[in-house]
Amino acid sequence: MKSKWTLIGYVLWGLSVAVQGQDCTSGGCHAERGSKAVVHVPVEEGDCLACHEQTKRNHPGGRGREIGLVAEEVVDICTTCHDLDLEDEDLHPPVAEGSCLACHDPHESDLNSLLKGSRAADVCGECHETGLEGKEFIHGPVAVGACDVCHSGHGQVSNTLLRTDGVNSTCYQCHELKAEEIASLVNQHAPVEESCTNCHNAHESDTKYQLEADVPDLCLGCHSEIDDQISSATSHHQAVESGKTCLNCHLPHGSEYEKNLKAEPFDLCMQCHNKPLKIGKTQIPDMEKFLEQNPDWHGPIREKNCAGCHNPHGTKNIRLLKYSFPRKFYAAFDVENYQLCFQCHPSENVLDSSTTRLTNFRDGDRNLHYLHVNREKGRTCRACHQVHASTHSFHIRAAVPFGGWQLPINYEKNDDGGRCSPGCHKPQTYSRSSGP
Ligand code: HEC
Ligand code: HEC
Ligand code: HEC
Ligand code: HEC
Ligand code: HEC
Ligand code: HEC
Ligand code: HEC
Ligand code: HEC
Ligand code: HEC
Ligand code: HEC
Ligand code: HEC
Ligand code: HEC
Ligand code: HEC
């Protein structure tokens, strides 16, 4: 049963068509067309018949209510005016398939490009999970549903439909300052050059800054060698395992220093080692002050190369040392114990019992390094040398911790040898030219 008002409408329509010929809008039937922000040009021009057939079939008096269109397939109508290459195999499937109306309203829209719905995300969300539910951090443009600021509906699938050629240039459209900042870095982190989405999710994330995972897991996902160092370590560094972890020392995008470090390595270490620090109950000294007070710096310290001996990520040796070094004052001799020193100094120093050239610590040709170190109850290097810096030449200690006591060494050097009167034995003198 048609209502009385519908019937009256039909009559009025008939009259208006009769009076106005083919004008579909001004007769009161489709008067609402053209009221939205963006109106399709042929609609605006009242050229309904560019797409519609005014047939009996689709209008009052006809046999049905279907909309009469000038062609069987909508896409064939659109392509009479729009030149699109739908054969391109890399094209977004719904475009290639000619499903123009999946995304576009043929008449008008409040969105750019005649997109349907009130946000681009409504259109895309018909076929794609927008994944926004339950995520804590949603990227600004995604949160407002503006999928189309980054993606083009007609883009290449191989380029993820991005509007620009590649991910980074997409990001830089808005993050201009970041672009300048990254371009100015001397050393860029390899994955940054490759794609921001190696670490950031362009849409949403459970982690601050749109990250794919928290630091350090994010970093360790690619840097398995560092993961191995940390997980196999017996000597751990709090700097790596707490607070900002990796970002205590590294920058994520690159740096003006090598290895993406935040500062010169030496200065970086001193940012924390400028005060006494605690490892459990043991206190380790303020390195900055120690180096100030001991002006005779060991070679690698002069080169500011703390990493020559330490691996700040963690190691299997005491004190984050890269290679073995005895923990105590005495140790049964094994050359393997001294790998650290022998990275840079010759091991013959402690392997040959007599020499006239390997070491100056000799009495005639009697090698006093061999004598002290190479034995069942050997004195380790630390018994005499201060490894970072000292006030005495050859980094000889003023005193050495022994039991709870600072055992004095009282070393005096002369042109031909030296003399010490340590707490361990009676005063001794050595002379390279005369010997024992
Ligand atoms: C560019 C082609 C095109 C033009 C121009 C056009 N239409 Fe349409 N129209 C369509 C298509 C395609 C559909 C089918 C929409 C669907 O199936 O969702 C349609 C559907 C309709 C419908 C039924 C569904 C609806 O959206 O209300 C009416 C009524 C309509 N058009 C009226 C008009 C009038 C009036 C004009 C002129 C002011 C006009 N159209 C101009 C393509 C066009
Ligand atoms: C009679 C010719 C004609 C037909 C048929 C036609 N269009 Fe258009 N369309 C135009 C003109 C003219 C413009 C405005 C100039 C331009 O952008 O090319 C336009 C613009 C558009 C725009 C851009 C709107 C904007 O504001 O950015 C879209 C999207 C569009 N048409 C989609 C379609 C779709 C989908 C169809 C098929 C349902 C279709 N057109 C059929 C003539 C036509
Ligand atoms: C009618 C369904 C449909 C609509 C609507 C749709 N898409 Fe797609 N889209 C597909 C299909 C099908 C594919 C190919 C299969 C796939 O890779 O998921 C695809 C592929 C994509 C891809 C490439 C996927 C990849 O893995 O690289 C992107 C990006 C994309 N669409 C974005 C969008 C955006 C943005 C919108 C809204 C403007 C949108 N799509 C609307 C169906 C649709
Ligand atoms: C800020 C830019 C931006 C916005 C906004 C955006 N995307 Fe993306 N989208 C990307 C980037 C970048 C990629 C990944 C490209 C890569 O890593 O190769 C991507 C990937 C995709 C993919 C491929 C599958 C995947 O998840 O990796 C689909 C589908 C997609 N986006 C759909 C959408 C939809 C739907 C919206 C709106 C809700 C949207 N995008 C909003 C930038 C954006
Ligand atoms: C998956 C959604 C989607 C489908 C399907 C789709 N379009 Fe689009 N179209 C868009 C989006 C989004 C834009 C906005 C401009 C852009 O992203 O490049 C657009 C823009 C346009 C434009 C404006 C001109 C331009 O290139 O900027 C025309 C014309 C157009 N589409 C016609 C069509 C026709 C014809 C079809 C069917 C063959 C079609 N579209 C299918 C999403 C789609
Ligand atoms: C259309 C503009 C636009 C594009 C394109 C864009 N962003 Fe954003 N981005 C924003 C806005 C807006 C915010 C939120 C405001 C803010 O916090 O700065 C944001 C925030 C972010 C944040 C968090 C910043 C913070 O301080 O919390 C990151 C990280 C980010 N974007 C990365 C990216 C990456 C990676 C891409 C490329 C895949 C990208 N953006 C592309 C507009 C954009
Ligand atoms: C190797 C992983 C990685 C890559 C690749 C990466 N980022 Fe980041 N980004 C991060 C991390 C980690 C943070 C968080 C920094 C923090 O917590 O201080 C971040 C933070 C940000 C921020 C917000 C904070 C800030 O520094 O302003 C923006 C914006 C940003 N990145 C943009 C980008 C852009 C653009 C790209 C691509 C050119 C990119 N990122 C590539 C790891 C990465
Ligand atoms: C997507 C994988 C990936 C992620 C995530 C990643 N990196 Fe990298 N990183 C690389 C690649 C690839 C290189 C270059 C390796 C090479 O040259 O041998 C590299 C190099 C480095 C370097 C050495 C740089 C140089 O100049 O030699 C450091 C340091 C570094 N990354 C730290 C980090 C930190 C810290 C994080 C977490 C914020 C991180 N990386 C996240 C892939 C990644
Ligand atoms: C206490 C400071 C510090 C922390 C924390 C730290 N690093 Fe490093 N990292 C360094 C220094 C210093 C170097 C340079 C070492 C060298 O030159 O031998 C370095 C080098 C690297 C390298 C390059 C290795 C190579 O052989 O070139 C990678 C990769 C790296 N770090 C990743 C990480 C990751 C991942 C984290 C977090 C789990 C992390 N770092 C935490 C100080 C640190
Ligand atoms: C972010 C602060 C921080 C930075 C930067 C830092 N450290 Fe540390 N470091 C500590 C703290 C805290 C401890 C004591 C707690 C612990 O690690 O167990 C420590 C302990 C150490 C230890 C003794 C570890 C042990 O188990 O005996 C060494 C060696 C060390 N750091 C070397 C370095 C070197 C070399 C650098 C520079 C590459 C550096 N640190 C940079 C905070 C830092
Ligand atoms: C020539 C190798 C070498 C270099 C270079 C080196 N260290 Fe050490 N470091 C050691 C050795 C060996 C120990 C263990 C000393 C001990 O147990 O008496 C140690 C111990 C430490 C400790 C633990 C506290 C202590 O004094 O026992 C810290 C902290 C430390 N080093 C920081 C640094 C910093 C910071 C640098 C760069 C300024 C640096 N080291 C350079 C060999 C070195
Ligand atoms: C990374 C390389 C390196 C490591 C490891 C190293 N040294 Fe050195 N050492 C040097 C350099 C370089 C000099 C300075 C040589 C010069 O000035 O001619 C030096 C000088 C010395 C001197 C003073 C020599 C002189 O002529 O003034 C002594 C003593 C010394 N080292 C002991 C040690 C001990 C003990 C170890 C093990 C804990 C060690 N070194 C580990 C590089 C290293
Ligand atoms: C008993 C004390 C003592 C012990 C233990 C000791 N040294 Fe020495 N070392 C000295 C003295 C004294 C000199 C200065 C010799 C001179 O020039 O008169 C010296 C000098 C050196 C030099 C400078 C080059 C040379 O041989 O003349 C190096 C390198 C060195 N020692 C490394 C080591 C290493 C490595 C160890 C542990 C394996 C070690 N020392 C153990 C007392 C010791």
Side-chain angles (χ1 to χ4, degrees), residues 129-143 199-213:
E129 283 207 33
T130 44
L132 307 182
E133 294 80 22
K135 296 287 181 180
E136 197 172 341
F137 299 95
I138 298 178
H139 193 197
V142 176
C199 298
H200 295 284
N201 189 306
H203 304 141
E204 74 283 314
S205 155
D206 284 326
T207 311
K208 206 175 164 211
Y209 298 124
Q210 307 296 134
L211 291 172
E212 292 286 6

PDB file of all heavy atoms in Angstrom, residues 129-143 199-213:
ATOM      1  N   GLU A 129      41.364  -4.114   9.112  1.00  0.00           N
ATOM      2  CA  GLU A 129      41.289  -3.883  10.550  1.00  0.00           C
ATOM      3  C   GLU A 129      42.059  -2.615  10.841  1.00  0.00           C
ATOM      4  O   GLU A 129      43.212  -2.489  10.460  1.00  0.00           O
ATOM      5  CB  GLU A 129      41.966  -5.044  11.286  1.00  0.00           C
ATOM      6  CG  GLU A 129      41.104  -6.257  11.313  1.00  0.00           C
ATOM      7  CD  GLU A 129      41.423  -7.111  12.537  1.00  0.00           C
ATOM      8  OE1 GLU A 129      41.781  -6.526  13.581  1.00  0.00           O
ATOM      9  OE2 GLU A 129      41.324  -8.328  12.412  1.00  0.00           O
ATOM     10  N   THR A 130      41.444  -1.681  11.507  1.00  0.00           N
ATOM     11  CA  THR A 130      42.194  -0.478  11.839  1.00  0.00           C
ATOM     12  C   THR A 130      42.925  -0.673  13.169  1.00  0.00           C
ATOM     13  O   THR A 130      43.793   0.092  13.513  1.00  0.00           O
ATOM     14  CB  THR A 130      41.283   0.766  11.875  1.00  0.00           C
ATOM     15  OG1 THR A 130      40.094   0.412  12.570  1.00  0.00           O
ATOM     16  CG2 THR A 130      40.948   1.222  10.486  1.00  0.00           C
ATOM     17  N   GLY A 131      42.596  -1.747  13.886  1.00  0.00           N
ATOM     18  CA  GLY A 131      43.399  -2.163  15.044  1.00  0.00           C
ATOM     19  C   GLY A 131      43.500  -1.130  16.158  1.00  0.00           C
ATOM     20  O   GLY A 131      44.420  -1.151  16.952  1.00  0.00           O
ATOM     21  N   LEU A 132      42.606  -0.192  16.183  1.00  0.00           N
ATOM     22  CA  LEU A 132      42.770   0.891  17.148  1.00  0.00           C
ATOM     23  C   LEU A 132      42.237   0.547  18.532  1.00  0.00           C
ATOM     24  O   LEU A 132      42.628   1.167  19.517  1.00  0.00           O
ATOM     25  CB  LEU A 132      42.072   2.155  16.634  1.00  0.00           C
ATOM     26  CG  LEU A 132      42.481   2.564  15.224  1.00  0.00           C
ATOM     27  CD1 LEU A 132      41.785   3.840  14.810  1.00  0.00           C
ATOM     28  CD2 LEU A 132      43.984   2.748  15.149  1.00  0.00           C
ATOM     29  N   GLU A 133      41.396  -0.455  18.592  1.00  0.00           N
ATOM     30  CA  GLU A 133      40.813  -0.778  19.884  1.00  0.00           C
ATOM     31  C   GLU A 133      41.874  -1.384  20.793  1.00  0.00           C
ATOM     32  O   GLU A 133      42.659  -2.234  20.387  1.00  0.00           O
ATOM     33  CB  GLU A 133      39.656  -1.774  19.734  1.00  0.00           C
ATOM     34  CG  GLU A 133      38.453  -1.218  18.985  1.00  0.00           C
ATOM     35  CD  GLU A 133      38.626  -1.233  17.474  1.00  0.00           C
ATOM     36  OE1 GLU A 133      39.457  -2.026  16.994  1.00  0.00           O
ATOM     37  OE2 GLU A 133      37.957  -0.444  16.799  1.00  0.00           O
ATOM     38  N   GLY A 134      41.872  -0.956  22.032  1.00  0.00           N
ATOM     39  CA  GLY A 134      42.736  -1.578  23.029  1.00  0.00           C
ATOM     40  C   GLY A 134      44.188  -1.160  22.943  1.00  0.00           C
ATOM     41  O   GLY A 134      45.003  -1.609  23.711  1.00  0.00           O
ATOM     42  N   LYS A 135      44.530  -0.289  21.998  1.00  0.00           N
ATOM     43  CA  LYS A 135      45.920   0.157  21.932  1.00  0.00           C
ATOM     44  C   LYS A 135      46.058   1.440  22.737  1.00  0.00           C
ATOM     45  O   LYS A 135      45.200   2.322  22.687  1.00  0.00           O
ATOM     46  CB  LYS A 135      46.338   0.415  20.482  1.00  0.00           C
ATOM     47  CG  LYS A 135      46.329  -0.833  19.628  1.00  0.00           C
ATOM     48  CD  LYS A 135      47.488  -1.740  19.963  1.00  0.00           C
ATOM     49  CE  LYS A 135      47.455  -2.970  19.069  1.00  0.00           C
ATOM     50  NZ  LYS A 135      48.548  -3.884  19.349  1.00  0.00           N
ATOM     51  N   GLU A 136      47.170   1.510  23.460  1.00  0.00           N
ATOM     52  CA  GLU A 136      47.299   2.642  24.362  1.00  0.00           C
ATOM     53  C   GLU A 136      47.697   3.932  23.636  1.00  0.00           C
ATOM     54  O   GLU A 136      47.271   5.019  23.981  1.00  0.00           O
ATOM     55  CB  GLU A 136      48.330   2.313  25.435  1.00  0.00           C
ATOM     56  CG  GLU A 136      48.224   3.232  26.617  1.00  0.00           C
ATOM     57  CD  GLU A 136      49.110   2.782  27.765  1.00  0.00           C
ATOM     58  OE1 GLU A 136      49.524   1.608  27.783  1.00  0.00           O
ATOM     59  OE2 GLU A 136      49.387   3.614  28.628  1.00  0.00           O
ATOM     60  N   PHE A 137      48.534   3.766  22.597  1.00  0.00           N
ATOM     61  CA  PHE A 137      49.025   4.951  21.897  1.00  0.00           C
ATOM     62  C   PHE A 137      48.599   4.902  20.435  1.00  0.00           C
ATOM     63  O   PHE A 137      48.915   3.961  19.723  1.00  0.00           O
ATOM     64  CB  PHE A 137      50.547   5.029  21.992  1.00  0.00           C
ATOM     65  CG  PHE A 137      51.029   5.140  23.416  1.00  0.00           C
ATOM     66  CD1 PHE A 137      51.406   4.005  24.116  1.00  0.00           C
ATOM     67  CD2 PHE A 137      51.077   6.364  24.069  1.00  0.00           C
ATOM     68  CE1 PHE A 137      51.831   4.094  25.441  1.00  0.00           C
ATOM     69  CE2 PHE A 137      51.496   6.467  25.378  1.00  0.00           C
ATOM     70  CZ  PHE A 137      51.876   5.324  26.073  1.00  0.00           C
ATOM     71  N   ILE A 138      47.848   5.900  20.029  1.00  0.00           N
ATOM     72  CA  ILE A 138      47.404   5.953  18.640  1.00  0.00           C
ATOM     73  C   ILE A 138      48.004   7.210  18.006  1.00  0.00           C
ATOM     74  O   ILE A 138      47.915   8.307  18.562  1.00  0.00           O
ATOM     75  CB  ILE A 138      45.866   5.952  18.555  1.00  0.00           C
ATOM     76  CG1 ILE A 138      45.370   4.631  19.166  1.00  0.00           C
ATOM     77  CG2 ILE A 138      45.397   6.091  17.117  1.00  0.00           C
ATOM     78  CD1 ILE A 138      43.887   4.479  19.221  1.00  0.00           C
ATOM     79  N   HIS A 139      48.632   6.997  16.883  1.00  0.00           N
ATOM     80  CA  HIS A 139      49.336   8.063  16.180  1.00  0.00           C
ATOM     81  C   HIS A 139      48.348   9.176  15.784  1.00  0.00           C
ATOM     82  O   HIS A 139      47.261   8.876  15.282  1.00  0.00           O
ATOM     83  CB  HIS A 139      49.996   7.443  14.953  1.00  0.00           C
ATOM     84  CG  HIS A 139      51.009   8.309  14.280  1.00  0.00           C
ATOM     85  ND1 HIS A 139      51.442   8.089  13.007  1.00  0.00           N
ATOM     86  CD2 HIS A 139      51.693   9.400  14.711  1.00  0.00           C
ATOM     87  CE1 HIS A 139      52.333   8.999  12.675  1.00  0.00           C
ATOM     88  NE2 HIS A 139      52.507   9.810  13.691  1.00  0.00           N
ATOM     89  N   GLY A 140      48.740  10.419  15.993  1.00  0.00           N
ATOM     90  CA  GLY A 140      47.869  11.574  15.740  1.00  0.00           C
ATOM     91  C   GLY A 140      46.947  11.443  14.526  1.00  0.00           C
ATOM     92  O   GLY A 140      45.720  11.408  14.669  1.00  0.00           O
ATOM     93  N   PRO A 141      47.493  11.349  13.306  1.00  0.00           N
ATOM     94  CA  PRO A 141      46.625  11.340  12.115  1.00  0.00           C
ATOM     95  C   PRO A 141      45.717  10.110  12.043  1.00  0.00           C
ATOM     96  O   PRO A 141      44.632  10.180  11.453  1.00  0.00           O
ATOM     97  CB  PRO A 141      47.622  11.354  10.937  1.00  0.00           C
ATOM     98  CG  PRO A 141      48.954  11.039  11.509  1.00  0.00           C
ATOM     99  CD  PRO A 141      48.931  11.400  12.952  1.00  0.00           C
ATOM    100  N   VAL A 142      46.134   9.008  12.649  1.00  0.00           N
ATOM    101  CA  VAL A 142      45.297   7.799  12.641  1.00  0.00           C
ATOM    102  C   VAL A 142      44.130   8.001  13.605  1.00  0.00           C
ATOM    103  O   VAL A 142      42.990   7.628  13.319  1.00  0.00           O
ATOM    104  CB  VAL A 142      46.134   6.560  13.025  1.00  0.00           C
ATOM    105  CG1 VAL A 142      45.259   5.323  13.127  1.00  0.00           C
ATOM    106  CG2 VAL A 142      47.254   6.336  12.005  1.00  0.00           C
ATOM    107  N   ALA A 143      44.432   8.638  14.726  1.00  0.00           N
ATOM    108  CA  ALA A 143      43.401   8.855  15.738  1.00  0.00           C
ATOM    109  C   ALA A 143      42.230   9.663  15.177  1.00  0.00           C
ATOM    110  O   ALA A 143      41.089   9.471  15.581  1.00  0.00           O
ATOM    111  CB  ALA A 143      44.009   9.558  16.958  1.00  0.00           C
ATOM    112  N   CYS A 199      61.145   0.486  13.623  1.00  0.00           N
ATOM    113  CA  CYS A 199      60.975   0.619  15.073  1.00  0.00           C
ATOM    114  C   CYS A 199      59.624   1.220  15.462  1.00  0.00           C
ATOM    115  O   CYS A 199      59.109   0.928  16.530  1.00  0.00           O
ATOM    116  CB  CYS A 199      62.079   1.491  15.661  1.00  0.00           C
ATOM    117  SG  CYS A 199      63.721   0.790  15.429  1.00  0.00           S
ATOM    118  N   HIS A 200      59.106   2.106  14.620  1.00  0.00           N
ATOM    119  CA  HIS A 200      57.845   2.762  14.964  1.00  0.00           C
ATOM    120  C   HIS A 200      56.687   2.106  14.220  1.00  0.00           C
ATOM    121  O   HIS A 200      56.837   1.703  13.073  1.00  0.00           O
ATOM    122  CB  HIS A 200      57.876   4.238  14.556  1.00  0.00           C
ATOM    123  CG  HIS A 200      58.879   5.050  15.316  1.00  0.00           C
ATOM    124  ND1 HIS A 200      58.684   5.453  16.615  1.00  0.00           N
ATOM    125  CD2 HIS A 200      60.094   5.523  14.965  1.00  0.00           C
ATOM    126  CE1 HIS A 200      59.724   6.157  17.026  1.00  0.00           C
ATOM    127  NE2 HIS A 200      60.608   6.214  16.052  1.00  0.00           N
ATOM    128  N   ASN A 201      55.540   2.072  14.856  1.00  0.00           N
ATOM    129  CA  ASN A 201      54.341   1.645  14.159  1.00  0.00           C
ATOM    130  C   ASN A 201      53.594   2.900  13.716  1.00  0.00           C
ATOM    131  O   ASN A 201      53.284   3.763  14.536  1.00  0.00           O
ATOM    132  CB  ASN A 201      53.471   0.788  15.088  1.00  0.00           C
ATOM    133  CG  ASN A 201      52.330   0.153  14.324  1.00  0.00           C
ATOM    134  OD1 ASN A 201      51.554   0.837  13.657  1.00  0.00           O
ATOM    135  ND2 ASN A 201      52.236  -1.157  14.399  1.00  0.00           N
ATOM    136  N   ALA A 202      53.335   2.979  12.426  1.00  0.00           N
ATOM    137  CA  ALA A 202      52.728   4.196  11.882  1.00  0.00           C
ATOM    138  C   ALA A 202      51.305   4.392  12.389  1.00  0.00           C
ATOM    139  O   ALA A 202      50.765   5.488  12.313  1.00  0.00           O
ATOM    140  CB  ALA A 202      52.730   4.124  10.360  1.00  0.00           C
ATOM    141  N   HIS A 203      50.694   3.325  12.894  1.00  0.00           N
ATOM    142  CA  HIS A 203      49.286   3.406  13.282  1.00  0.00           C
ATOM    143  C   HIS A 203      49.090   3.486  14.785  1.00  0.00           C
ATOM    144  O   HIS A 203      48.580   4.474  15.294  1.00  0.00           O
ATOM    145  CB  HIS A 203      48.516   2.196  12.749  1.00  0.00           C
ATOM    146  CG  HIS A 203      48.626   2.014  11.278  1.00  0.00           C
ATOM    147  ND1 HIS A 203      48.736   0.798  10.684  1.00  0.00           N
ATOM    148  CD2 HIS A 203      48.653   2.928  10.271  1.00  0.00           C
ATOM    149  CE1 HIS A 203      48.812   0.947   9.373  1.00  0.00           C
ATOM    150  NE2 HIS A 203      48.772   2.227   9.095  1.00  0.00           N
ATOM    151  N   GLU A 204      49.470   2.427  15.465  1.00  0.00           N
ATOM    152  CA  GLU A 204      49.167   2.386  16.892  1.00  0.00           C
ATOM    153  C   GLU A 204      50.172   1.485  17.581  1.00  0.00           C
ATOM    154  O   GLU A 204      50.884   0.730  16.937  1.00  0.00           O
ATOM    155  CB  GLU A 204      47.755   1.859  17.132  1.00  0.00           C
ATOM    156  CG  GLU A 204      47.579   0.365  16.912  1.00  0.00           C
ATOM    157  CD  GLU A 204      47.499  -0.033  15.459  1.00  0.00           C
ATOM    158  OE1 GLU A 204      46.761   0.625  14.718  1.00  0.00           O
ATOM    159  OE2 GLU A 204      48.187  -0.988  15.053  1.00  0.00           O
ATOM    160  N   SER A 205      50.225   1.591  18.903  1.00  0.00           N
ATOM    161  CA  SER A 205      51.254   0.851  19.616  1.00  0.00           C
ATOM    162  C   SER A 205      50.879   0.764  21.090  1.00  0.00           C
ATOM    163  O   SER A 205      50.092   1.565  21.592  1.00  0.00           O
ATOM    164  CB  SER A 205      52.570   1.606  19.438  1.00  0.00           C
ATOM    165  OG  SER A 205      53.450   1.338  20.477  1.00  0.00           O
ATOM    166  N   ASP A 206      51.464  -0.228  21.748  1.00  0.00           N
ATOM    167  CA  ASP A 206      51.280  -0.308  23.196  1.00  0.00           C
ATOM    168  C   ASP A 206      52.400   0.411  23.919  1.00  0.00           C
ATOM    169  O   ASP A 206      52.454   0.434  25.135  1.00  0.00           O
ATOM    170  CB  ASP A 206      51.255  -1.782  23.644  1.00  0.00           C
ATOM    171  CG  ASP A 206      49.917  -2.435  23.296  1.00  0.00           C
ATOM    172  OD1 ASP A 206      48.897  -1.727  23.344  1.00  0.00           O
ATOM    173  OD2 ASP A 206      49.904  -3.637  22.974  1.00  0.00           O
ATOM    174  N   THR A 207      53.320   0.960  23.155  1.00  0.00           N
ATOM    175  CA  THR A 207      54.515   1.554  23.740  1.00  0.00           C
ATOM    176  C   THR A 207      54.588   3.022  23.355  1.00  0.00           C
ATOM    177  O   THR A 207      54.218   3.397  22.242  1.00  0.00           O
ATOM    178  CB  THR A 207      55.765   0.829  23.189  1.00  0.00           C
ATOM    179  OG1 THR A 207      55.554  -0.565  23.322  1.00  0.00           O
ATOM    180  CG2 THR A 207      57.003   1.205  23.954  1.00  0.00           C
ATOM    181  N   LYS A 208      55.086   3.813  24.281  1.00  0.00           N
ATOM    182  CA  LYS A 208      55.226   5.241  24.031  1.00  0.00           C
ATOM    183  C   LYS A 208      56.032   5.497  22.753  1.00  0.00           C
ATOM    184  O   LYS A 208      56.846   4.662  22.369  1.00  0.00           O
ATOM    185  CB  LYS A 208      55.963   5.854  25.225  1.00  0.00           C
ATOM    186  CG  LYS A 208      55.654   7.305  25.428  1.00  0.00           C
ATOM    187  CD  LYS A 208      56.304   7.850  26.686  1.00  0.00           C
ATOM    188  CE  LYS A 208      56.273   9.363  26.601  1.00  0.00           C
ATOM    189  NZ  LYS A 208      57.402   9.987  27.269  1.00  0.00           N
ATOM    190  N   TYR A 209      55.841   6.631  22.145  1.00  0.00           N
ATOM    191  CA  TYR A 209      56.519   6.999  20.900  1.00  0.00           C
ATOM    192  C   TYR A 209      56.228   6.023  19.776  1.00  0.00           C
ATOM    193  O   TYR A 209      57.070   5.815  18.897  1.00  0.00           O
ATOM    194  CB  TYR A 209      58.042   7.092  21.090  1.00  0.00           C
ATOM    195  CG  TYR A 209      58.487   8.132  22.075  1.00  0.00           C
ATOM    196  CD1 TYR A 209      59.288   7.789  23.165  1.00  0.00           C
ATOM    197  CD2 TYR A 209      58.101   9.472  21.937  1.00  0.00           C
ATOM    198  CE1 TYR A 209      59.703   8.742  24.073  1.00  0.00           C
ATOM    199  CE2 TYR A 209      58.516  10.420  22.841  1.00  0.00           C
ATOM    200  CZ  TYR A 209      59.307  10.058  23.911  1.00  0.00           C
ATOM    201  OH  TYR A 209      59.718  11.003  24.808  1.00  0.00           O
ATOM    202  N   GLN A 210      55.070   5.396  19.811  1.00  0.00           N
ATOM    203  CA  GLN A 210      54.670   4.506  18.708  1.00  0.00           C
ATOM    204  C   GLN A 210      55.691   3.407  18.454  1.00  0.00           C
ATOM    205  O   GLN A 210      55.828   2.934  17.332  1.00  0.00           O
ATOM    206  CB  GLN A 210      54.527   5.303  17.395  1.00  0.00           C
ATOM    207  CG  GLN A 210      53.634   6.504  17.428  1.00  0.00           C
ATOM    208  CD  GLN A 210      52.216   6.122  17.691  1.00  0.00           C
ATOM    209  OE1 GLN A 210      51.547   6.725  18.497  1.00  0.00           O
ATOM    210  NE2 GLN A 210      51.755   5.074  17.058  1.00  0.00           N
ATOM    211  N   LEU A 211      56.434   3.006  19.503  1.00  0.00           N
ATOM    212  CA  LEU A 211      57.475   2.007  19.262  1.00  0.00           C
ATOM    213  C   LEU A 211      56.879   0.612  19.158  1.00  0.00           C
ATOM    214  O   LEU A 211      55.857   0.311  19.767  1.00  0.00           O
ATOM    215  CB  LEU A 211      58.531   2.064  20.374  1.00  0.00           C
ATOM    216  CG  LEU A 211      59.389   3.336  20.361  1.00  0.00           C
ATOM    217  CD1 LEU A 211      60.277   3.402  21.589  1.00  0.00           C
ATOM    218  CD2 LEU A 211      60.229   3.407  19.086  1.00  0.00           C
ATOM    219  N   GLU A 212      57.545  -0.232  18.391  1.00  0.00           N
ATOM    220  CA  GLU A 212      57.093  -1.610  18.202  1.00  0.00           C
ATOM    221  C   GLU A 212      57.297  -2.426  19.474  1.00  0.00           C
ATOM    222  O   GLU A 212      56.641  -3.425  19.692  1.00  0.00           O
ATOM    223  CB  GLU A 212      57.826  -2.279  17.040  1.00  0.00           C
ATOM    224  CG  GLU A 212      57.472  -1.698  15.672  1.00  0.00           C
ATOM    225  CD  GLU A 212      56.080  -2.118  15.179  1.00  0.00           C
ATOM    226  OE1 GLU A 212      55.338  -2.776  15.938  1.00  0.00           O
ATOM    227  OE2 GLU A 212      55.747  -1.767  14.038  1.00  0.00           O
ATOM    228  N   ALA A 213      58.262  -2.028  20.304  1.00  0.00           N
ATOM    229  CA  ALA A 213      58.506  -2.698  21.581  1.00  0.00           C
ATOM    230  C   ALA A 213      59.260  -1.730  22.468  1.00  0.00           C
ATOM    231  O   ALA A 213      59.793  -0.726  21.992  1.00  0.00           O
ATOM    232  CB  ALA A 213      59.341  -3.957  21.362  1.00  0.00           C
TER     233      ALA A 213
END
